[in-house]
Amino acid sequence: MATSRRTFLASTGLAALATPALSQGAAARALRFIPHANLGAVDPVATSGYIVRNYGFMVYDTLFAVDTDFKVQPQMVESHEVSADGRTWRFRLREGLRFHDNEPVRAVDAIASIRRWGARDTMGQTLMTVMDEMRATSDRDFEMRLKQPFPLMLDSLGKLSTQALFVVPERVGNSDPQVPNNETVGSGPFRFLRNEWVPGSLAAFEKFAGYVPRAEPSSGAAGGKRVLVDRVEWRIIPDASTSANALQTGEVDWYEQPSFDLLPIISRNRNVRIEITDPMGSLMMIRFNQLHPPFDNPAIRRAVLMATDQQAYLDAVVGNPQYSALCRSMYACGTPLGTDQGAGVMPANLERGRAALREAGYNNEPVVILAAMDNPANSQMSQVTADLLRRMGMNVELVATDWSALLARRANRNPPDRGGWSIFHTSWVGLDVAGPALHLPLRAHGAPAWAGWPTDPEIERLRTAFIAATDPAEGQRIAMQLQTRAFESVPFVPLGTIIQPTAFRRNVQGIVNAPVPFFWGVSKG
């Protein structure tokens, strides 16, 4: 029987860490928020973790941004133009942009930010393959000259998904993209209070008085980012019951991802609202390390795919069909590409999976599963997978850790018995995995790929063809071919869709429908 997350936390002595009490006046000006994970790192380029992306949208600004209709709009850019042949792009920054050290944001900062981001992000890497030259033509103007047209330029520069292009000072942009940079001087509407940061307990942000919002109203990540509170505190409370109680008593104002099994209790509190701010939901998945046995063998990955029962994961993580659905697709279901194409290769048949595992030559190699016990969904997914693989006959070790430690360990490319890993679980918001262009888990370009580091030239060839396609029907055909290949190669196993509600006190206003928790425009009555 799977151990519940709260039982595990109680047995290990993990609990909410106390933070200093605020005066009544200070509390009215501060928004207290429980994030889905601990903020253990502050470099949004170095990791794809959503918690670091969320930090990034507070502390940094972007050249372009996605509005509530998922259209790309100028953000730090005042104006731009593209040549008739599509190979030269010119950009002009807005006047008055400043970093948190009160230095002006210059074109050279934007260029350095693009270069560093382009070394790690999936769309940035694609852009860099066609880049001929980037240069600043004044403090506010820069241009890009390309080897060939790149129609997804604005989608790349303004992406909402993880590893977004945040503008950092030139010195940070020039630092090694493969080494996490710990500087926190940003360009956005909030300043990170580094001296108050206690990983595992508190991350605090204050309104940056020097930030100049755009004139138009805010819309998603775009528009005028007007901050209506003086301070935002991220309270790191690992235990779900303690978090729910803090929300109900008013100790905190907003709980990003309440545990599904506590929603009935929270809903009875008339001072709390539960809302779905991302109706597209998230695709859960098993991610394999393909550098080392046993999952360097695609036949073994296919055996796991064959035995996986998505309903078992949905029952364990959610337990409520209102917030979950089967999704046997490599793309987000409910989107044009999110078809049930994987039904034939995902029969949820344990015996067939066992037989396929034997035929693949599995030799009792250890399987190290990283389980983030401070994240309810991740904990339950990990335990279901551990049980499944053991029933298949695999040698499984479940390593209990927290999410920030998992993010650090999954970057380790050593074999599992030397500090590495075999499997971790995660969820990707639908917008990030709706198609081949932005789909980081579908990249299969070896060492530069996302953690797991798959190599599959055919997947990469089809992705390139998809990006180059000018006819939508042709693009969809290529995307389906890519998905067929992905079910053969198995860069990950899809586990179904979950729709995660958020919960907040009724005196909190301005929370927008978006897959990212934005804090501009949010106020406390």
Side-chain angles (χ1 to χ4, degrees):
M1 179 181 297
T3 303
S4 77
R5 176 176 173 276
R6 287 185 293 283
T7 300
F8 171 85
L9 290 166
S11 68
T12 56
L14 293 174
L17 299 176
T19 54
L22 296 174
S23 68
Q24 185 173 353
R29 296 189 301 271
L31 184 75
R32 298 157 302 183
F33 174 77
I34 301 175
H36 69 273
N38 171 45
L39 181 68
V42 289
D43 185 349
V45 165
T47 178
S48 61
Y50 282 146
I51 189 67
V52 186
R53 175 206 62 184
N54 297 353
Y55 152 89
F57 273 107
M58 295 190 73
V59 175
Y60 305 97
D61 212 348
T62 56
L63 297 173
F64 291 83
V66 175
D67 65 17
T68 53
D69 295 322
F70 300 109
K71 296 179 180 177
V72 179
Q73 305 292 348
Q75 187 59 31
M76 298 179 82
V77 167
E78 177 182 282
S79 61
H80 69 281
E81 62 181 23
V82 59
S83 62
D85 63 2
R87 294 175 54 189
T88 301
W89 290 76
R90 295 184 178 89
F91 304 90
R92 183 169 180 81
L93 298 175
R94 288 195 293 124
E95 194 170 4
L97 299 176
R98 307 195 73 79
F99 288 110
H100 296 162
D101 58 5
N102 285 316
E103 291 295 318
V105 177
R106 304 161 301 158
V108 290
D109 300 304
I111 289 173
S113 300
I114 293 169
R115 283 205 178 100
R116 189 168 190 270
W117 161 82
R120 296 293 297 266
D121 174 69
T122 182
M123 286 304 294
Q125 291 168 347
T126 304
L127 173 58
M128 289 299 137
T129 64
V130 300
M131 185 68 69
D132 189 19
E133 180 189 17
M134 278 192 294
R135 67 187 185 99
T137 55
S138 76
D139 279 351
R140 289 175 56 198
D141 298 275
F142 66 98
E143 69 177 25
M144 298 184 194
R145 296 185 181 274
L146 309 180
K147 301 171 186 175
Q148 63 190 57
F150 188 66
L152 295 178
M153 174 68 79
L154 300 186
D155 299 88
S156 302
L157 301 184
K159 61 179 290 193
L160 182 62
S161 53
T162 186
Q163 291 178 306
L165 173 52
F166 298 118
V167 174
V168 299
E170 182 185 19
R171 62 184 178 275
V172 177
N174 287 338
S175 67
D176 187 344
Q178 305 304 323
V179 178
N181 189 297
N182 292 320
E183 188 167 336
T184 57
V185 174
S187 53
F190 289 92
R191 188 171 70 89
F192 185 57
L193 300 177
R194 185 66 176 263
N195 62 325
E196 296 187 32
W197 183 29
V198 183
S201 177
L202 176 69
F205 309 79
E206 70 175 4
K207 178 180 179 178
F208 176 46
Y211 181 77
V212 179
R214 293 186 67 88
E216 61 265 34
S218 65
S219 176
K225 299 178 179 179
R226 292 169 178 82
V227 175
L228 305 180
V229 294
D230 294 336
R231 175 183 173 96
V232 175
E233 293 181 356
W234 287 10
R235 304 284 186 90
I236 315 302
I237 305 178
D239 181 65
S241 295
T242 305
S243 297
N245 186 62
L247 178 69
Q248 293 183 90
T249 60
E251 180 185 343
V252 299
D253 305 299
W254 184 3
Y255 183 7
E256 183 186 6
Q257 294 185 3
S259 180
F260 287 98
D261 61 345
L262 294 174
L263 290 176
I265 298 172
I266 298 173
S267 66
R268 292 198 289 267
N269 189 315
R270 63 183 59 188
N271 294 315
V272 173
R273 295 179 61 183
I274 297 172
E275 290 192 0
I276 294 172
T277 54
D278 181 18
M280 190 181 294
S282 299
L283 181 65
M284 301 189 299
M285 63 180 62
I286 300 171
R287 181 66 168 185
F288 300 110
N289 185 337
Q290 297 193 28
L291 295 182
H292 305 289
F295 297 119
D296 59 340
N297 183 343
I300 291 179
R301 300 195 298 270
R302 286 194 294 269
V304 175
L305 179 76
M306 189 179 299
T308 297
D309 180 2
Q310 287 193 352
Q311 194 60 54
Y313 288 88
L314 297 176
D315 289 344
V317 173
V318 181
N320 185 338
Q322 178 184 355
Y323 299 117
S324 64
L326 297 176
C327 183
R328 292 167 295 195
S329 173
M330 294 291 177
Y331 306 118
C333 290
T335 66
L337 298 178
T339 65
D340 200 33
Q341 189 173 344
V345 293
M346 295 190 70
N349 191 308
L350 179 61
E351 292 306 318
R352 286 179 60 183
R354 282 174 176 163
L357 185 65
R358 290 192 298 268
E359 292 171 8
Y362 174 66
N363 195 31
N364 203 44
E365 296 95 343
V367 174
V368 174
I369 300 175
L370 304 182
M373 306 308 286
D374 61 339
N375 182 304
N378 190 278
S379 169
Q380 295 296 346
M381 281 189 282
S382 301
Q383 293 177 59
V384 173
T385 296
D387 177 66
L388 171 66
L389 299 190
R390 286 172 180 142
R391 287 187 291 129
M392 289 180 67
M394 303 189 84
N395 176 15
V396 177
E397 177 187 357
L398 188 67
V399 176
T401 183
D402 59 55
W403 183 245
S404 60
L406 186 153
L407 291 178
R409 182 164 175 175
R410 80 179 187 188
N412 189 329
R413 301 183 189 222
N414 288 335
D417 60 354
R418 289 172 45 203
W421 54 278
S422 307
I423 278 175
F424 73 89
H425 299 77
T426 192
S427 301
W428 284 84
V429 298
L431 188 65
D432 287 356
V433 292
L438 294 176
H439 201 317
L440 188 58
L442 264 188
R443 292 300 308 271
H445 53 315
W450 184 48
W453 309 287
T455 299
D456 189 323
E458 180 63 8
I459 283 180
E460 288 298 297
R461 184 190 70 80
L462 289 167
R463 177 180 180 271
T464 300
F466 173 86
I467 291 173
T470 56
D471 177 54
E474 174 68 4
Q476 184 161 8
R477 184 186 66 80
I478 295 170
M480 292 299 100
Q481 288 182 327
L482 195 159
Q483 177 163 240
T484 297
R485 176 59 188 170
F487 275 118
E488 296 168 355
S489 182
V490 196
F492 63 89
V493 175
L495 300 177
T497 299
I498 59 171
I499 300 173
Q500 174 68 60
T502 195
F504 51 92
R505 303 283 298 179
R506 287 190 177 273
N507 64 330
V508 175
Q509 305 291 328
I511 295 175
V512 301
N513 289 334
V516 180
F518 296 129
F519 292 87
W520 49 83
V522 178
S523 64
K524 278 179 64 176

